[in-house]
Amino acid sequence: MTVIAPGKTIGILGDGQLGRMMAIAAAEMGYKTHIFGQDANSPAFQVATKTTQADWDDHAALDNFAADVDVVTLEFENIPTETLEYLEKTVPVRPGHKVLEITQDRHLEKSFVNSLGVPTAPFANVESLADLRTAVEMIGTPAILKTRKFGYDGKGQVKINAATEIDDAWQQIGEQPSILEGFVPFELEVSVIVARGVNGDIQSYVPVENRHRNHILDVTIAPAGILKDVAQRATQLAEKIARQIDLVGLIAVEMFISPDGDVLVNELAPRPHNSGHWTIEACTTSQFKQIIRAVAGLPLASAERHANALMRNLIGEDANHWEEIVAHPEMSLHLYGKAEVRAGRKMGHVTRLFPMDVQPKT
């Protein structure tokens, strides 16, 4: 295994706020970064050593990018797997295209998770209107119809109730390959972020509770207020997934906790995650420094926290209250440099720390 030393260049696919925070972390560790994305005004382009603005299938641009970097990672999973396969011919890509093939397709993802003996909500593959009718009969209502690919923050989803016109739901989803997922009763949503190195070593961050507003993450509470054995089970399942998918990098495993304490996996994200932003202030090593360590072949650092934390997203107009936020000395403000404020757009986040013996409350 070749360690990529400080002074070398980390290539990052994607130009959003996660790429921005990865580039900042890499710079603090002595690395250069080269961001490959589509938006010249993006958050990540503002802080990178070098940038490339090009389409994912621009082979000439990808060749130049690969020649300039020592390893490639990614900041979001909605990248064509063909892009990763092309880059893998000349430069290490971590995680690789096989991880993306699973995690960017909801049907493959849930099937993979179930194959490991890890439970999920009931689901069925939907390729046609006839499939959807059969799935509704099998799973029942309420249920949610989700596109198999490229949905996030509530996009590409249609809720189905007993009174829903099935034809209308199929049209609303754009008649795209989808899954129908049954609703399960749950007490709270949690996530576990796992780092896995080139040598297979693992470091996991404590399970955190996630609360959403309009299908967008609003608040993360670290740690989640769950029983110790439930937290251990959630962590064990997340680590099992990271090993079996042969991850190198970071993966966030989103889960439901049932009223009986059962843990059901919801979704996987093989990159830094919104629910891990609190680690910047509250942990020995942030999720962003940890992924740089993992993809560079460095030993993973401790994921232990030295404080409890509450992280709140600044969505849309929330960011306009930055002066009020910075007036509080216990608040840590992060703004992403997005020029245009839009409803539902993540503009930044703010984190507040608490003593280890105090459970954060919103």
Side-chain angles (χ1 to χ4, degrees), residues 25-57:
E28 290 178 349
M29 297 171 64
Y31 290 96
K32 301 172 185 176
T33 52
H34 187 157
I35 306 290
F36 191 107
Q38 280 78 52
D39 183 1
N41 297 314
S42 66
F45 273 26
Q46 297 171 13
V47 300
T49 313
K50 192 172 181 179
T51 64
T52 294
Q53 182 183 3
D55 293 330
W56 298 120
D57 60 356

Side-chain angles (χ1 to χ4, degrees), residues 20 25 30 51 66 80 97 127-128 131 142 208 231 243 248 268 285 289 294-295 300 318 350:
R20 177 189 182 95
T51 64
H97 77 275
E127 301 279 351
S128 65
D131 285 348
V208 298
R243 289 190 181 96
V248 176
L268 311 178
T285 307
K289 287 187 175 179
V295 302
L300 298 182
D318 293 346
V350 58

Side-chain angles (χ1 to χ4, degrees), residues 35-287:
I35 306 290
F36 191 107
Q38 280 78 52
D39 183 1
N41 297 314
S42 66
F45 273 26
Q46 297 171 13
V47 300
T49 313
K50 192 172 181 179
T51 64
T52 294
Q53 182 183 3
D55 293 330
W56 298 120
D57 60 356
D58 186 334
H59 286 185
L62 290 171
D63 287 340
N64 291 333
F65 173 72
D68 187 62
V69 303
D70 297 281
V71 67
V72 173
T73 188
L74 49 95
E75 66 114 35
F76 80 132
E77 61 269 34
N78 289 343
I79 299 168
T81 55
E82 294 82 5
T83 300
L84 272 67
E85 288 185 86
Y86 187 81
L87 289 169
E88 285 169 351
K89 297 174 183 177
T90 53
V91 66
V93 180
R94 299 167 178 165
H97 77 275
K98 292 182 180 179
V99 173
L100 235 61
E101 285 177 349
I102 294 171
T103 57
Q104 67 179 207
D105 183 313
R106 287 189 169 100
H107 183 251
L108 295 180
E109 179 178 270
K110 290 184 182 297
S111 298
F112 169 75
V113 169
N114 283 173
S115 75
L116 304 180
V118 177
T120 64
F123 68 96
N125 190 37
V126 175
E127 301 279 351
S128 65
L129 178 59
D131 285 348
L132 179 55
R133 293 187 186 280
T134 301
V136 171
E137 290 177 5
M138 180 178 67
I139 291 177
T141 58
I144 187 162
L145 183 64
K146 302 178 178 180
T147 55
R148 283 180 57 163
K149 291 189 175 185
F150 307 127
Y152 62 96
D153 288 347
K155 298 177 177 66
Q157 300 186 12
V158 178
K159 188 175 181 179
I160 296 180
N161 294 311
T164 301
E165 291 289 341
I166 303 303
D167 298 50
D168 291 343
W170 183 236
Q171 289 177 3
Q172 287 180 52
I173 209 74
E175 301 183 357
Q176 300 180 68
S178 305
I179 63 166
L180 185 72
E181 186 177 295
F183 273 81
V184 292
F186 63 90
E187 290 290 324
L188 71 165
E189 295 184 43
V190 304
S191 59
V192 177
I193 295 175
V194 179
R196 185 170 181 266
V198 174
N199 62 0
D201 287 350
I202 277 182
Q203 284 285 333
S204 298
Y205 294 92
V206 66
V208 298
E209 178 183 355
N210 298 316
R211 298 179 183 177
H212 294 77
R213 175 164 48 111
N214 299 324
H215 302 290
I216 301 172
L217 181 63
D218 182 28
V219 170
T220 293
I221 300 170
I226 54 179
L227 295 175
K228 184 177 180 180
D229 67 321
V230 176
Q232 289 176 337
R233 193 177 316 125
T235 301
Q236 289 167 357
L237 292 179
E239 292 180 350
K240 183 177 185 178
I241 289 168
R243 289 190 181 96
Q244 294 301 316
I245 207 169
D246 199 21
L247 175 83
V248 176
L250 214 64
I251 193 166
V253 182
E254 301 177 30
M255 310 173 184
F256 298 125
I257 307 298
S258 78
D260 296 329
D262 294 329
V263 181
L264 303 176
V265 168
N266 182 30
E267 291 186 352
L268 311 178
R271 37 86 177 165
H273 196 255
N274 197 166
S275 69
H277 292 350
W278 64 277
T279 63
I280 297 173
E281 281 81 25
C283 291
T284 303
T285 307
S286 75
Q287 66 165 341

